[in-house]
Amino acid sequence: MPSKTTGKLAVADFIQHSAVVSELDNLKKRFDPALPGGKPLVVSDVLDADGHQYVNLVQKGGGVFGIALVGYTYVLEEMGIRFLRLAGTSAGAINTALITVIKNKQDKKSSEVLQAICDLDFFSLVDGHPAARSIIKNFITQKDYLAKARNKLLGVLAAFALLVAGDVILVGLSSQYPALYVWTGLCFILTGFLSLILGIGVAYFIDLFKRLKNSGYGINPGDVFYDWIKGLLLQNNVATVSELNEKAADCPPLQLRVPNESGLADLKGDVTFIASELVTQNKIQFPAMCTLFRTDIDTLPPAGFIRASMSIPIFFESYMINDIPTDDPRIQAAWKQYFGMSHPPATARFVDGGILSNFPISIFYNANVTVPRLPSFGIDLDDSKPADKEDNAFSWSLTGYFGRMFNTIRNYYDKDFLLKNEVYQRGVGKVDMSDDKYNWLNFFLSDEDKIDMFVQGVKAAVAFLNAFDWDAYKNDRTAMQIQLKK
């Protein structure tokens, strides 16, 4: 609920929620060696001088479900876990970006991220044409909106058909019954008025479609989001790609809990945002692949990487990088290196990274390390509805059908990696967002819904830490690497 003193959603409404306080308190008691039955929480062999344990973290995309991601990372931070390498797609890219740039790597970030959520009017992100905004809002907030809209349209068409039929009948009868002339005229007037309304409606929707086409088939420009994330980056002194890379790499001196032949020399912090490039049909990893588009990477805005990653097709306009210097040998060499292409495009067009890789945990795979020093954690958002999870293909709803089709495309690459490297699944926690009240495109969330999503993330993180076994994870990954080398 909003703060009683200000009437506005506040950070305390999230972290002081009774369920959050209870879940975290029980977790801390379980991992408090000073208490009877308590034991230390061990999730990594990489530590800093203050005892923080470091992990790699990937966050899945999922629209407004990103609030649940914040609840999950809040628990990890409260339990002394920090993040060395970070990766995310779409909504996951947003929390990934904020965790990267806020304060220092050894600091907690969740309060600042929550403050950004409290200050943001989610509905402002739907910054398209007023008619489109209205349609989107009704479509998302009213479960039977499509049925009502269809029935209204059918009613108007039926009325039009009846009026036309009435015109024909009355014209024929009025020659024999002059008294019907008045009714004939009235019927013609109503028919003409309804024809005008229908004509205006058709012309309006044609105009909207032209606007949609001219805007790259995106309903919302995404400018409000871009300005919002850019402002947050600037508040944290990140204006260039170099400053973003410096923030991601900067970390305190690290040490190993136990000796490891791989040592610490190669352990560096970094950040990755996934976007899908349509012109060349490739998965792009920002900021690592900035050299594909500019020789001076600092001419690219870091906010654009997150904007590109969350460009939900149709809902948001594509993010564009224009005027790529295709004749520059350095640009050509970069395209050759990454994709084997000799002729770079002059313009790159990006949509949601989740189209190709919604859960890019494979980024953290290092074939040169036999015994892992730290785990790769992942936060998975499960929003498939109960009826649409069934194997009986005839039981799925229409949204379930399209959801299955879309998920098959966006999850295949990541799923393939996890199947081949099954031990990585042990580092993945799943947040259940399958309740019918949740919709990943619902930018009209109530404050109560935002808090509830945060609580769901908290509960998922607590369940994950209660079950995670670092020694088993480390041993199984070691065995997997040895087997692969054979």
Side-chain angles (χ1 to χ4, degrees):
M1 295 293 290
S3 171
K4 293 181 179 180
T5 56
T6 65
K8 179 183 176 183
L9 195 63
V11 173
D13 297 320
F14 290 94
I15 63 177
Q16 293 180 11
H17 187 277
S18 58
V20 172
V21 173
S22 176
E23 290 278 347
L24 195 55
D25 185 54
N26 290 334
L27 186 67
K28 288 181 176 179
K29 287 178 179 177
R30 180 182 178 187
F31 292 108
D32 186 350
L35 296 177
K39 61 180 181 178
L41 175 66
V42 179
V43 300
S44 172
D45 286 340
V46 178
L47 313 170
D48 63 21
D50 294 322
H52 298 127
Q53 304 183 71
Y54 285 76
V55 304
N56 298 326
L57 180 68
V58 60
Q59 300 183 68
K60 191 175 184 179
V64 298
F65 293 166
I67 300 173
L69 297 175
V70 183
Y72 199 107
T73 54
Y74 168 72
V75 170
L76 298 185
E77 287 186 336
E78 289 296 311
M79 296 304 293
I81 299 170
R82 300 293 182 266
F83 315 113
L84 185 67
R85 303 183 64 198
L86 287 148
T89 300
S90 196
I94 300 172
N95 197 33
T96 292
L98 297 179
I99 290 175
T100 299
V101 303
I102 292 172
K103 295 182 178 178
N104 299 311
K105 198 172 288 288
Q106 63 268 36
D107 297 322
K108 298 178 184 179
K109 323 289 186 77
S110 296
S111 291
E112 286 76 10
V113 177
L114 286 171
Q115 187 61 59
I117 291 173
C118 292
D119 293 340
L120 175 65
D121 175 10
F122 278 50
F123 187 37
S124 68
L125 301 180
V126 186
D127 56 353
H129 190 277
R133 286 164 58 93
S134 177
I135 291 172
I136 291 172
K137 183 174 183 178
N138 289 326
F139 175 75
I140 291 174
T141 58
Q142 299 181 29
K143 291 183 179 181
D144 56 349
Y145 176 70
L146 284 180
K148 288 181 178 179
R150 180 196 61 200
N151 292 338
K152 287 180 180 179
L153 178 60
L154 290 176
V156 171
L157 292 177
F160 181 74
L162 288 173
L163 285 172
V164 171
D167 290 336
V168 174
I169 294 172
L170 288 172
V171 166
L173 292 176
S174 60
S175 59
Q176 299 181 25
Y177 304 99
L180 293 176
Y181 274 120
V182 175
W183 293 103
T184 303
L186 180 60
C187 194
F188 267 101
I189 292 173
L190 291 175
T191 303
F193 178 74
L194 192 55
S195 298
L196 179 63
I197 296 297
L198 288 172
I200 292 173
V202 170
Y204 184 63
F205 276 99
I206 291 175
D207 180 65
L208 285 180
F209 182 77
K210 288 180 178 178
R211 290 170 182 250
L212 183 66
K213 181 179 179 180
N214 293 337
S215 63
Y217 298 105
I219 296 173
N220 299 292
D223 295 336
V224 172
F225 173 84
Y226 178 87
D227 292 339
W228 176 71
I229 197 68
K230 179 181 178 181
L232 292 173
L233 295 182
L234 291 175
Q235 287 176 25
N236 291 280
N237 303 311
V238 172
T240 67
V241 176
S242 295
E243 290 171 343
L244 175 65
N245 286 332
E246 289 171 5
K247 268 280 191 177
D250 184 40
C251 62
L254 300 175
Q255 59 194 35
L256 288 169
R257 186 192 308 274
V258 295
N260 189 298
E261 62 181 9
S262 299
L264 290 168
D266 67 324
L267 285 180
K268 309 290 183 183
D270 62 24
V271 64
T272 301
F273 310 111
I274 303 296
S276 303
E277 203 287 302
L278 297 184
V279 177
T280 62
Q281 303 173 51
N282 285 305
K283 181 179 78 171
I284 303 298
Q285 296 175 196
F286 286 117
M289 296 183 179
C290 284
T291 52
L292 292 169
F293 312 105
R294 294 289 187 270
T295 54
D296 179 3
I297 61 173
D298 284 336
T299 60
L300 292 172
F305 306 156
I306 301 98
R307 171 66 178 82
S309 183
M310 56 73 65
S311 298
I312 304 167
I314 305 300
F315 195 88
F316 285 112
E317 293 180 14
S318 303
Y319 182 77
M320 314 288 281
I321 295 181
N322 300 308
D323 303 320
I324 301 171
T326 56
D327 295 332
D328 193 300
R330 292 168 292 181
I331 296 293
Q332 294 173 351
W335 282 91
K336 188 73 174 178
Q337 173 192 350
Y338 284 115
F339 303 118
M341 297 177 59
S342 302
H343 303 287
T347 296
R349 179 175 179 174
F350 301 94
V351 294
D352 196 304
I355 296 296
L356 294 177
S357 180
N358 204 36
F359 192 59
I361 197 169
S362 59
I363 287 175
F364 301 139
Y365 178 73
N366 187 344
N368 297 320
V369 175
T370 302
V371 181
R373 297 154 291 181
L374 73 170
S376 293
F377 281 0
I379 312 174
D380 184 10
L381 298 170
D382 181 14
D383 63 340
S384 52
K385 306 308 177 188
D388 299 327
K389 291 181 181 179
E390 297 179 7
D391 292 332
N392 180 8
F394 297 100
S395 68
W396 303 339
S397 64
L398 180 62
T399 55
Y401 167 74
F402 283 109
R404 286 257 182 161
M405 184 167 58
F406 184 58
N407 287 336
T408 300
I409 298 170
R410 67 176 180 163
N411 292 332
Y412 178 78
Y413 179 82
D414 304 320
K415 184 178 180 180
D416 185 57
F417 171 81
L418 288 171
L419 287 173
K420 293 177 180 177
N421 304 274
E422 191 174 354
V423 66
Y424 277 79
Q425 288 275 19
R426 298 189 183 184
V428 177
K430 185 170 291 189
V431 186
D432 184 7
M433 305 301 295
S434 61
D435 194 296
D436 284 336
K437 68 180 179 180
Y438 298 127
N439 185 316
W440 67 287
L441 283 177
N442 185 7
F443 287 87
F444 321 100
L445 289 170
S446 66
D447 290 341
E448 290 76 11
D449 287 338
K450 294 175 184 177
I451 295 171
D452 188 51
M453 287 185 182
F454 181 82
V455 171
Q456 289 297 107
V458 167
K459 290 180 177 179
V462 169
F464 170 77
L465 289 179
N466 277 324
F468 183 72
D469 186 330
W470 165 238
D471 287 332
Y473 177 95
K474 181 167 61 172
N475 291 337
D476 287 348
R477 265 188 60 182
T478 301
M480 181 189 75
Q481 287 302 117
I482 293 173
Q483 185 63 35
L484 288 174
K485 287 181 179 181
K486 288 181 179 180

